[in-house]
Amino acid sequence: MEFKFPQSSEVVRAEHTLKAFNATTIQVKYRDESGSGSSSTTVTADKLKFDLTQGFDEQILSSSVRFKLGADTFVDRAGLLYRNVDTATGSGTQSGVIQYGTGVIELESWTPDVDNQLTLQSLTTTTDMLPINHVSFRTPTIPIRPGSLTVVVASLEFGQLTLTANQAGVIETDEAHGSINYETGFVDIYFYKKTKKSDHPEIVDEDWYDPLLDYTDTGNTVWVNAPVWIDATSVRYNAVAYTYIPLDSEILGLSATRLPPDGRVPIFRVGDIGVIASSKLQQLPSHVAGQTYDLADQRISWCELEDSNGVKVPYDMYTVNYDYGKVTLSGDFALNSLVAPISAAYRYQDMGLINDVQISGQITLTKPVSHNYDADNSIVGSALVIGDMFSRYTSRFVQGTWSNVWADTPSGATISANYNDALYPIEVTNKGAIQERWALVFTDNDNFRIIGEVSGQIGTGNKSDDCAPINPITSAPYFKVKKEGWGTGWVSGNVLRFNTIAAMYPIWCIRTVKQSEPTTLSDNFQIMYRGDIDRDV
C-alpha cells in the first residue's frame, strides 16, 4: 500500500480587518431633522470651598478676613466664619471654617439662589509670624473650679480647636494634649497629631522632622507626633475661679489662721486610713419570734432593726450574726407598738491604707476591697485613728473637807482615813465608765453622797455595801468601789476623789452649711466608733 502527502503549490498574502461585537442588541438614536435642544441638571452642594490666598504662600492674620457672597457678608473669628454679624450685638450665624495657613475656607451655610461670586473686602497676610505648637500660661486668678477651663485656638490646618479640661485637669484630643493645675492656674498644652509614618512617607521631607521623633508601639508600627501649627494670636481661654470671703474666727469659734484660704480641710492624704462603706435597708419577709432571717450580704459591720415608721426595735429583742449576715428574733418577740413590716438597716465596710489621692476624687488603697459596692449606696470616708481605748480610773486621793473645787490634787491638811485601792482597786468597765471626775462626800461616819463634776449628784452610798451607781444609758455601773477597801476614821465632810476615763476618744465636730434656702425642716447625723476586738477561737 502506498501513501502520498499533499504539497502546497502557492502561498497568497491577504489582510482583513476583524471587529469584535458583544452578543447584545445595539440601539441607535438619531434625529432626522435639524434643530437645537437644551437640558439642565440641579446639583445640591453641602459645602462651598474657596482659596483666598491662591498663588500665595502667606499666613492669614486672625480676624482680618471679610468677604461677600451674594448678599451675605462673612467675617472670621478664631478660625470660624460668621455671616451677617449684627454691629449692635456682635452676634452672627456660624457658617464655616477658615484655615489660616492655607487660606482655604469652607462654607456650610449660606443664602441659596443668589449670585455665587465671592467678593473679597478685607484680608491681611504675613510672612513674619511663625506658627507655634506649644502654649503655656497661668490664669490671673486662682484657684480654678475643676472642669471649668475652655481653651479656643485657631489652627492653620484644622480650623478652630475648642479644648476642655476634665475634672482631673487633663486636656486630651486628637490634636491637643495638655493639662491644668487647678490650684496654681498653670496651663500647659502641646499641639500634635499621632501619625502613622508608613501612611505619610512625605513627612520625612518636612522642615521639623527628625528621625529621633520616631517611636514604635507594641506592634512595631512606627509613629511620629506631627506638629499641629496654631496662630499664637488666636489663643483664648475661659475659666471659673473661686474667691473666698475671709473667715471670721468669732463665728467659727476657733482661730482660722492655719485653715486654708477656702476654709476646706483635706480629709484624704497619702498614708491615712480610708473606709469604704455601703448602707442598705432590707425588709424582712415576716416577724416570727425565734425566726432567723438571712441578709443579702455577709461580714457586715453594723445592723439595726426598725419598723415601717423608722422606730428602732429594742436591741434585746434580736441578735445579729455579723459574720454570716443573719438576724434572729428573740423567742418572746412581739410587735407591741411597732408597725410591720420590720426592716434591717445594715452596713458593710472595708478599711485600708491610702497610697494615692487624685484631685478628681479617685482614691487608691493598698489592698483590694472584699465586698461589692454600688455607687448609689456607698460612701468613702477618712478614719480618725484613735488607737487602743480602755476605761480606767486615775487621780485617787482623799481630803478633809469638800470645797466644791474639782482639782486633781488634794488640798488642806492630811487625814488619817483612806481607801485601800492597792488591795481593792476601783473597778471600771468599758461599757459603764464615762469621762468624769467623781467625789464621794461623807455625810456622817458611814454614809456618803456620789457627786460628778458634770453629772451632779447621782445617788448615795455607805461603807457597808459596794458602791456601784448604774449608768442609765448602758445599764452598767459607772464604777464599783468595794466595801472591803474602806478604812476607819471617816467623818462628815471627808471626801474620796478620783477620775474615771472612758473608753472613748474626744473629737470636735464642725458642721458647715452653705448659703442657700432651706430644703428640709430637720436634719441629723450619727457618729459611730469603729473598733477591732480580739476573738476567742
Side-chain angles (χ1 to χ4, degrees), residues 133 158 175 191-195 203 208 224-229:
N133 71 324
F158 300 99
E175 297 85 13
F191 296 89
Y192 62 84
K193 192 175 182 68
K194 183 179 179 181
T195 306
I203 214 168
W208 54 264
V224 61
N225 292 333
V228 175
W229 304 110

Side-chain angles (χ1 to χ4, degrees), residues 128-313:
D128 298 331
M129 186 171 60
L130 296 177
I132 61 174
N133 71 324
H134 180 206
V135 173
S136 297
F137 62 90
R138 190 181 72 86
T139 59
T141 307
I142 55 175
I144 301 298
R145 189 183 74 185
S148 68
L149 175 72
T150 300
V151 180
V152 179
V153 299
S155 68
L156 303 187
E157 184 180 358
F158 300 99
Q160 186 186 81
L161 303 179
T162 302
L163 315 173
T164 302
N166 60 17
Q167 292 291 324
V170 177
I171 300 173
E172 188 66 34
T173 66
D174 290 340
E175 297 85 13
H177 316 267
S179 63
I180 175 177
N181 186 318
Y182 289 121
E183 295 299 323
T184 62
F186 182 74
V187 182
D188 193 29
I189 307 174
Y190 287 88
F191 296 89
Y192 62 84
K193 192 175 182 68
K194 183 179 179 181
T195 306
K196 192 175 182 179
K197 191 175 180 180
S198 60
D199 293 342
H200 299 274
E202 72 281 359
I203 214 168
V204 299
D205 299 326
E206 298 289 345
D207 296 336
W208 54 264
Y209 176 76
D210 189 315
L212 297 177
L213 299 177
D214 295 348
Y215 62 95
T216 58
D217 57 12
T218 55
N220 292 326
T221 302
V222 180
W223 300 85
V224 61
N225 292 333
V228 175
W229 304 110
I230 66 171
D231 181 0
T233 64
S234 68
V235 180
R236 302 288 185 272
Y237 79 90
N238 180 67
V240 178
Y242 289 115
T243 57
Y244 303 102
I245 301 174
L247 299 173
D248 191 335
S249 300
E250 294 184 359
I251 296 177
L252 284 178
L254 53 87
S255 174
T257 304
R258 300 184 61 183
L259 291 178
D262 57 1
R264 296 183 301 174
V265 179
I267 62 173
F268 298 107
R269 297 183 181 89
V270 175
D272 286 352
I273 301 296
V275 179
I276 308 174
S278 180
S279 300
K280 297 183 179 181
L281 184 67
Q282 178 178 332
Q283 181 176 314
L284 303 184
S286 61
H287 48 273
V288 179
Q291 181 71 35
T292 299
Y293 300 93
D294 294 331
L295 301 179
D297 299 279
Q298 297 182 351
R299 293 183 295 109
I300 61 177
S301 59
W302 169 84
C303 179
E304 288 182 346
L305 297 186
E306 59 184 41
D307 69 357
S308 59
N309 295 328
V311 178
K312 296 184 183 300
V313 177

Side-chain angles (χ1 to χ4, degrees), residues 105 272 377 384:
I105 63 172
D272 286 352
N377 50 37
L384 178 62

